[in-house]
Amino acid sequence: FSTRAIHTFDYFTKNLFAGFVGFFLNFASLNCVAVTGPTTYAIIGSINKIPVAFLGYFVFDSVITRETWFFISVSMAGGFLYSYAKIQTGRKKEPQSGK
C-alpha cells in the first residue's frame, strides 16, 4: 500500500463511483430475480458469455479452440432448450378459449 497512485483524489473518486454503481447494480439484479425467477436469471447469466466470447475473438484477436467452440455450442443449445421449455410451459398455462 505504498504506491502513491492509490492515495490520490482521482483514485478515491473513481473507486467511490464504482462502488456506488455496483451498489445499485446489485439492486437491479435483485429486481431481475424477483421479476423473472432465479433459474431464468442464472440461464441468462450463463448465456451472455457467448457474445462476450465472440467479442473477444473479434476485438482482441484471441483464438477460439475446438474445445471452446464445443462449450459455446453446448451453452447455446442449453439456452435454446430452456427457452423452448419456458414457451411450452407458458402455452399450457394460457386459458383455452372457445373449446
Side-chain angles (χ1 to χ4, degrees):
F1 294 97
S2 62
T3 305
R4 291 181 154 215
I6 65 172
H7 297 289
T8 63
F9 182 74
D10 184 50
Y11 182 79
F12 174 75
T13 55
K14 288 177 182 175
N15 270 326
L16 186 66
F17 178 73
F20 184 75
V21 170
F23 179 76
F24 286 104
L25 187 61
N26 280 330
F27 280 113
S29 296
L30 290 172
N31 186 41
C32 289
V33 170
V35 171
T36 62
T39 306
T40 302
Y41 184 76
I43 294 294
I44 295 302
S46 66
I47 289 176
N48 76 354
K49 305 303 184 259
I50 296 168
V52 170
F54 287 120
L55 188 65
Y57 173 73
F58 290 116
V59 173
F60 301 113
D61 198 30
S62 63
V63 177
I64 298 181
T65 63
R66 199 176 273 233
E67 184 180 69
T68 306
W69 280 115
F70 173 74
F71 290 127
I72 289 172
S73 301
V74 168
S75 183
M76 288 176 65
F80 290 138
L81 183 63
Y82 179 76
S83 298
Y84 176 75
K86 286 296 270 187
I87 290 169
Q88 294 301 321
T89 303
R91 286 184 181 164
K92 289 180 182 177
K93 289 182 180 179
E94 290 178 5
Q96 304 260 340
S97 61
K99 289 188 179 180

